[in-house]
Amino acid sequence: MKIFKFGGASVSSVERIKQVPGILRQYPGEKILVVISAMGKTTNALEKVAEAFYNGHTEEALELFRQIKETHLTTAKYLLVKNYLAAEAQLKDFFTEVEWLLHDKPVRDFDYYYDQVVCIGELLSTSIMSAFLAESGIGNQWIDVRDLFRTDANFRDAAIDWEVTDRKVREEVAPLFEEDDLIVTQGFIGATSDNESTTLGREGSDYTAAVFANLLNAEGLTIWKDVEGVMNADPKQFPDAQLISELNYDEVIEMAYYGAQVIHPKTIKPLQNKGIPLFVKCFLDAKLPGTVIHNKSLKGLPPIIVLKQDQALVSLHSTDFSFVGETGMARLYALFGEVRVKPNLIQSGAVSIRVCLDDRPARIEKLALAAADLFEVAVERGLTLLTIRHYDAAVLTRLTAGRQEVLRQQTQETVQILMR
């Protein structure tokens, strides 16, 4: 049993979709569950639909969604002949699921509507891919992951109910493998016990694949990307980024924690718990070795660089100059949970705390208002957070040249610098 995950870049065009059957044919007779993300920038486009709808711009939302519909129908027409009509019918069912909502008026929180709209991207892409694989002579079973992954109602960052999900996967996935060697399903999404769609956090398809690997006791999980493997920096930001051929779970968790986009932060735990190796390979050239991630110790890694733009610094100062202490910190961390923000960097003093966060204005405003009873609050936006693991003086000097340092945290292994 193997688990494969194809990201949005690997299904972003007709040409790239046509490469997937060739990759799968390299594993004849093996049972594979394939997790597929939304095509290209579909998730971004659906986010705009959700925002327009929630802001009361119904016609704009419907027009934006019409463009998404046309893109997927056109892709299906280019790829399919004998399976087109069946695929079109399935796509239209999903279109209706969103359009029914868009003609209503919002009465719940934005995050709820976000999940109902954005989840459709994965359903559309997998419907097309399943039909195309069948037309290419690769039999497969398509399944709606919302029928398998039970979650809580924490929309946009739902937590999986492992007990229920484990039972559903055992009862419903195993019989499908008796009919075909390949199952096609979605990443990133699940559903509550009330059948309301949820998402598992942005870029959560990696996590979906890891959960399947854990529950199905897979021999390995392979994530297919449009890069050689795991790089020491984002090649779009750093053209001289180099391949790291081997990593361990700890290092990847650290990279994900600091914001590296290669692997979703929650991906590693389900794999590590059962010692399942993770392979990151290039779908553009499947012969390249890629990166293997395991549980062995490693030495001699290059500097690993994570650069996060659009950061906000929230500065909190005790209103009466009393020590922040345990009570203030405990209250602040409780607020992080209530507002659902994750500090990228936090530094405390006797009467002040400074917190670096991704700049999500609505959530930062909620945090600032909630903290105002304990602290004087100031917010600075437009900052950049640089994180370097295994740093040296030369790379540190090069990457901070010409920038004004706002905040620094430094250990022997890792340095983080918030810059203007």
Side-chain angles (χ1 to χ4, degrees):
M1 166 76 67
K2 288 182 168 65
I3 310 295
F4 283 0
K5 182 258 177 173
F6 290 92
S10 59
V11 292
S12 61
S13 66
V14 169
E15 292 71 26
R16 290 191 168 186
I17 292 171
K18 286 181 176 179
Q19 291 183 255
V20 175
I23 292 173
L24 295 176
R25 288 192 183 100
Q26 296 178 26
Y27 302 87
E30 300 208 44
K31 296 194 181 299
I32 301 173
L33 184 141
V34 177
V35 173
I36 298 175
S37 300
M39 293 179 180
K41 300 297 183 182
T42 300
T43 299
N44 293 341
L46 286 166
E47 286 177 338
K48 292 179 180 177
V49 173
E51 289 165 4
F53 162 76
Y54 195 75
N55 290 326
H57 305 146
T58 303
E59 292 305 316
E60 179 187 354
L62 288 168
E63 172 56 24
L64 290 169
F65 189 61
R66 185 195 64 78
Q67 295 171 21
I68 294 167
K69 289 166 52 179
E70 290 304 315
T71 298
H72 284 82
L73 288 170
T74 300
T75 299
K77 286 174 184 174
Y78 275 113
L79 289 168
L80 305 172
V81 179
K82 61 182 180 182
N83 289 339
Y84 176 75
L85 291 177
E88 180 188 40
Q90 188 177 30
L91 291 175
K92 287 183 175 179
D93 284 343
F94 294 133
F95 297 157
T96 301
E97 192 175 321
V98 172
E99 288 169 332
W100 175 82
L101 181 146
L102 294 181
H103 282 99
D104 207 346
K105 293 198 181 301
V107 293
R108 298 177 62 169
D109 289 345
F110 172 74
D111 288 352
Y112 166 79
Y113 294 105
Y114 176 98
D115 280 6
Q116 309 319 300
V117 172
V118 169
C119 74
I120 297 297
E122 274 69 14
L123 295 162
L124 300 178
S125 65
T126 53
S127 296
I128 293 171
M129 180 61 78
S130 175
F132 177 63
L133 290 173
E135 195 148 306
S136 302
I138 300 177
N140 68 91
Q141 295 285 322
W142 181 93
I143 191 167
D144 188 334
V145 76
R146 296 177 298 179
D147 295 332
L148 302 175
F149 277 29
R150 172 70 55 78
T151 75
D152 62 15
N154 186 20
F155 297 103
R156 293 189 74 177
D157 194 18
I160 291 174
D161 182 329
W162 281 81
E163 183 179 350
V164 175
T165 301
D166 182 24
R167 175 173 53 79
K168 285 178 170 288
V169 167
R170 281 188 285 105
E171 291 176 355
E172 299 183 36
V173 173
L176 295 178
F177 275 120
E178 295 174 7
E179 301 177 42
D180 284 292
D181 289 339
L182 186 69
I183 293 174
V184 175
T185 193
Q186 307 79 36
F188 178 53
I189 64 177
T192 68
S193 56
D194 295 325
N195 289 323
E196 294 176 321
S197 298
T198 57
T199 63
L200 308 179
R202 198 69 158 81
E203 309 294 340
S205 294
D206 291 352
Y207 180 50
T208 299
V211 172
F212 273 119
N214 178 291
L215 297 179
L216 293 169
N217 296 308
E219 64 184 74
L221 163 60
T222 302
I223 295 177
W224 296 90
K225 301 181 74 71
D226 60 347
V227 292
E228 292 180 60
V230 178
M231 315 292 283
N232 75 318
D234 184 346
K236 295 173 184 174
Q237 295 175 320
F238 301 93
D240 58 348
Q242 61 190 87
L243 175 71
I244 305 175
S245 60
E246 197 173 1
L247 286 166
N248 58 31
Y249 296 133
D250 285 347
E251 191 65 44
V252 173
I253 288 173
E254 292 288 343
M255 292 172 66
Y257 173 79
Y258 289 118
Q261 296 298 306
V262 172
I263 305 295
H264 188 275
K266 294 189 289 189
T267 302
I268 298 301
K269 186 176 186 297
L271 302 177
Q272 190 275 336
N273 286 353
K274 289 194 174 178
I276 299 169
L278 170 63
F279 304 92
V280 181
K281 291 180 67 70
C282 179
F283 73 85
L284 297 172
D285 187 350
K287 297 185 182 67
L288 293 173
T291 301
V292 60
I293 300 163
H294 48 57
N295 210 19
K296 302 173 185 175
S297 60
L298 292 170
K299 293 182 179 179
L301 290 171
I304 296 173
I305 303 162
V306 180
L307 194 64
K308 296 191 75 173
Q309 310 284 355
D310 300 320
Q311 299 294 290
L313 178 65
V314 180
S315 297
L316 307 159
H317 193 284
S318 173
T319 54
D320 59 0
F321 281 83
S322 60
F323 289 144
V324 171
E326 293 179 2
T327 302
M329 290 297 290
R331 176 59 182 144
L332 184 59
Y333 271 95
L335 288 177
F336 291 155
E338 291 169 20
V339 180
R340 286 164 44 197
V341 297
K342 183 184 79 68
N344 296 323
L345 179 63
I346 186 166
Q347 196 168 90
S348 63
V351 295
S352 65
I353 307 170
R354 305 174 83 189
V355 185
C356 172
L357 304 161
D358 292 341
D359 190 0
R360 299 176 69 172
R363 293 194 179 184
I364 289 175
E365 183 178 353
K366 282 184 182 179
L367 177 66
L369 288 172
D373 60 338
L374 289 175
F375 303 99
E376 294 175 359
V377 184
V379 179
E380 181 180 355
R381 294 189 155 88
L383 303 175
T384 299
L385 179 62
L386 170 68
T387 303
I388 312 174
R389 284 182 59 76
H390 317 295
Y391 63 92
D392 57 45
V395 71
L396 192 55
T397 300
R398 176 169 62 88
L399 294 178
T400 57
R403 304 299 292 268
Q404 182 180 358
E405 185 174 314
V406 178
L407 201 62
R408 176 189 288 237
Q409 281 192 2
Q410 191 165 349
T411 67
Q412 189 173 0
E413 194 74 51
T414 304
V415 61
Q416 288 189 283
I417 300 175
L418 187 64
M419 308 178 294
R420 291 187 182 95

